[in-house]
Amino acid sequence: MILSKSILSDTLSANINLPALSDFGLPEKVLQFGTGVLLRGLPDYFIDKANKAGKFNGRIVVVKSTGKGGLADFVEQDNLYTICVRGIEDGAVVEESIISSAISRVLDANGEWDSVLKVATSPDLKLILSNTTEVGLVLLNEKIDRSTPESYPGKLLAVLYERFKALGDKAPGLVVIATELVPDNGKILHKIIIELIAYNSLEDRFIKWLEDYVTFCSSLVDRIVPGKPDQYLLNAMEKKLGYTDNLLIMAEPYRLWAIEGDRKVADLLSLEGVDEGIVVKPDIEIYRELKVRLLNGSHTLASGIAFLAGIDTVADAMSNESLRHYIENVMQKEIIPAIPYAVNSKEAEEFAMKVLDRFSNPFIKHQWINITFQYTMKLKIRVIPVISQYYNRFNKVPEHIAYGFAAYLTFMTAGEVGGIGYKITDDSLDYINGIDKTNFVWSVLSDESLWEIDLTAFEGFKLAVERYFSYITKNGVIAGLALIL
């Protein structure tokens, strides 16, 4: 039995969060560029929850722009899909299954562009969403009046211009929210749109309408949504659910959608209060800092240690007492006191506890080797600012971070674990391998082309990294943790 509208009235498990049949008649208020699991598992999750609470009362038209995947599953399932929330929250196991009816239809940008433009002319439309990856937020000088624009900004401008032409310069206001994983994503998108307007020589009246009625918002999305589980787990889930769902996705319990906007934006969205994971504030930098430093930073620092210890997944590492203590301590003792932003310590500590829950999630198989992808760049972005701030405040070595750096150097040079080789994906690998090994640690840490700062200028840092690097090489990475724990 395939998930579809027709089976909702059948006897399904009482443990499934079902949509009301009346939700299918809600107006289309959202135009979304992207069919990916992050959008379906976070913004669309919130919209579905708001609809079920009788607050947002609107559905989503999704635009598929890439050639990857088809629309058959959406059509066959009446655009319904299951969100299986699995993980740890406040130390307790969470298992929730939600059938989402947030999506009303999915349009192919290349074959149904006229239908996309028709959605733009609806007075009901109030929100445009996107997640086109970082590659999507680039300027491509193109004319928007010639078939389907190639770039996402080109498509967005065509949609906005079509709305203006159809409804005039008093067309109802819109909020455009970017969710791509880059800082200031909304500002970047707005800047590209302005440049494209100039390239297309659009009239001043349209520019005035855009300034008065369209608000571009940056946002931060934070939820691990791995998508469809492996076949064994999928079969077990579908047996328990009582139906087959080719669009089923998994998601962790933690969720955050921080939107940079004022009261006007919050009122227009009508999403606040639906879930504690939705935040609309004029400044969302605090949420980015907490995520980048505590979640991403501790991930990066622990990745080399865990992988060299022969531990495959993040959840498995949390079952190793030494590694769990390392992650707890590096967050509590070194990252939280040195986040380079004004952070309330209690808020940071609460976030750190949620990070530990997320790392412990047994349902998500997050591979450490994947976290080492572009290891050098991640350390530079996520950890170097913390080191600088730590020295500014305490003027001493952050020992856990120094150990993480030693593990990074070991990972970059060892090439094998237990006699088995591994692949390193890092743009700096060849450069690091070419460094003279006579004074290797000093050469890497002092290289400002890698870090944009000379790390040997921090008193004692080089000596600590050298000591740990030497110890790991001789005794192994887990044995070395005893030096700091």
Side-chain angles (χ1 to χ4, degrees):
M1 182 168 62
I2 295 284
L3 174 62
S4 66
K5 184 179 177 182
S6 64
I7 75 166
L8 293 181
S9 57
D10 294 346
T11 304
L12 292 178
S13 169
N15 295 322
I16 302 175
N17 185 329
L18 299 173
L21 291 178
S22 58
D23 289 348
F24 290 87
L26 295 173
E28 295 174 334
K29 293 184 178 181
V30 184
L31 185 61
Q32 173 177 298
F33 288 84
T35 61
V37 295
L38 179 61
L39 284 172
R40 290 197 286 127
L42 191 61
D44 298 359
Y45 162 88
F46 286 132
I47 289 170
D48 179 70
K49 188 171 183 178
N51 287 340
K52 287 170 178 172
K55 291 194 174 183
F56 184 75
N57 298 320
R59 302 182 80 199
I60 306 164
V61 178
V62 175
V63 181
K64 178 183 174 295
S65 299
T66 66
K68 184 178 179 181
L71 304 181
D73 290 333
F74 286 98
V75 173
E76 185 178 22
Q77 296 186 187
D78 297 319
N79 302 300
L80 296 171
Y81 65 96
T82 311
I83 306 171
C84 293
V85 180
R86 301 288 187 273
I88 309 293
E89 190 170 39
D90 297 329
V93 175
V94 173
E95 293 190 48
E96 182 184 13
S97 299
I98 303 159
I99 294 179
S100 172
S101 61
I103 296 174
S104 61
R105 52 190 168 133
V106 181
L107 301 174
D108 187 330
N110 295 314
E112 300 176 285
W113 186 240
D114 286 343
S115 296
V116 175
L117 292 178
K118 187 171 178 60
V119 175
T121 67
S122 169
D124 292 322
L125 185 66
K126 62 192 298 186
L127 173 61
I128 297 178
L129 285 175
S130 70
N131 192 304
T132 57
T133 76
E134 301 91 318
V135 178
L137 295 186
V138 293
L139 173 65
L140 175 64
N141 284 323
E142 58 179 332
K143 296 297 183 181
I144 64 168
D145 58 351
R146 300 173 187 171
S147 68
T148 308
E150 182 178 342
S151 69
Y152 165 59
K155 292 182 178 72
L156 175 59
L157 179 57
V159 162
L160 293 172
Y161 191 54
E162 186 72 15
R163 184 176 182 82
F164 169 76
K165 288 190 298 180
L167 301 178
D169 52 14
K170 298 297 182 183
L174 288 175
V175 176
V176 178
I177 304 179
T179 68
E180 289 77 7
L181 300 178
V182 294
D184 296 325
N185 40 28
K187 293 182 176 69
I188 292 171
L189 180 58
H190 183 226
K191 183 176 183 293
I192 294 172
I193 292 296
I194 296 301
E195 293 181 42
L196 265 180
I197 288 173
Y199 182 80
N200 282 269
S201 302
L202 301 181
E203 59 265 43
D204 290 342
R205 282 180 59 241
F206 171 68
I207 299 172
K208 181 71 166 59
W209 171 78
L210 194 77
E211 291 175 349
D212 292 344
Y213 289 93
V214 181
T215 305
F216 288 79
C217 296
S218 296
S219 81
L220 173 72
V221 288
D222 187 8
R223 189 178 214 180
I224 298 173
V225 187
K228 190 178 290 188
D230 61 55
Q231 195 60 48
Y232 177 81
L233 183 55
L234 178 62
N235 291 342
M237 285 180 163
E238 290 186 335
K239 184 177 180 180
K240 189 174 182 180
L241 290 169
Y243 58 84
T244 298
D245 181 356
N246 293 318
L247 296 171
L248 180 147
I249 59 174
M250 284 187 66
E252 66 171 337
Y254 182 84
R255 64 262 176 215
L256 173 67
W257 189 17
I259 302 165
E260 195 169 79
D262 55 15
R263 190 71 253 160
K264 172 186 169 185
V265 169
D267 291 343
L268 190 60
L269 292 176
S270 308
L271 289 171
E272 271 195 313
V274 169
D275 189 286
E276 63 179 11
I278 302 175
V279 177
V280 182
K281 288 186 177 181
D283 183 3
I284 61 171
E285 188 60 28
I286 176 63
Y287 302 102
R288 189 179 311 282
E289 282 293 322
L290 289 173
K291 177 180 182 291
V292 169
R293 307 307 170 197
L294 288 169
L295 177 71
N296 302 137
S298 59
H299 247 167
T300 301
L301 286 165
S303 62
I305 303 171
F307 183 79
L308 293 169
I311 298 172
D312 292 331
T313 69
V314 176
D316 288 342
M318 298 305 286
S319 299
N320 181 290
E321 186 176 357
S322 294
L323 259 171
R324 184 181 180 93
H325 284 168
Y326 172 82
I327 293 170
E328 289 175 347
N329 287 338
V330 77
M331 285 197 294
Q332 294 288 348
K333 296 181 179 180
E334 295 176 5
I335 297 178
I336 288 177
I339 293 176
Y341 190 83
V343 176
N344 179 286
S345 60
K346 183 184 178 188
E347 187 174 9
E349 287 165 6
E350 289 174 351
F351 188 88
M353 293 302 296
K354 291 177 181 177
V355 167
L356 293 174
D357 279 345
R358 299 171 73 181
F359 285 2
S360 302
N361 190 340
F363 298 96
I364 295 177
K365 307 301 181 184
H366 204 169
Q367 302 286 326
W368 283 113
I369 189 63
N370 294 334
I371 297 171
T372 65
F373 180 83
Q374 298 299 354
Y375 207 160
T376 307
M377 179 191 69
K378 287 177 177 176
L379 282 172
K380 182 177 78 169
I381 293 172
R382 299 170 175 179
V383 180
I384 298 302
V386 174
I387 297 175
S388 297
Q389 186 73 344
Y390 191 88
Y391 269 93
N392 285 339
R393 292 185 176 177
F394 307 109
N395 195 30
K396 65 178 183 178
V397 177
E399 298 287 346
H400 295 79
I401 293 177
Y403 193 83
F405 256 85
Y408 152 77
L409 294 175
T410 307
F411 175 87
M412 295 292 283
T413 54
E416 64 177 42
V417 173
I420 300 175
Y422 55 86
K423 182 180 179 182
I424 300 174
T425 307
D426 192 309
D427 291 342
S428 300
L429 178 61
D430 290 340
Y431 177 73
I432 289 175
N433 282 338
I435 293 175
D436 182 11
K437 296 301 185 288
T438 305
N439 205 0
F440 178 64
V441 174
W442 179 87
S443 297
V444 174
L445 295 184
S446 64
D447 195 332
E448 295 188 34
S449 69
L450 290 175
W451 317 113
E452 296 183 359
I453 192 172
D454 179 359
L455 293 175
T456 65
F458 296 116
E459 185 178 356
F461 191 73
K462 178 187 76 74
L463 291 175
V465 175
E466 279 182 331
R467 175 181 176 228
Y468 295 138
F469 181 61
S470 175
Y471 197 92
I472 290 171
T473 303
K474 295 174 184 175
N475 303 286
V477 71
I478 292 296
L481 284 175
L483 296 177
I484 53 173
L485 295 179

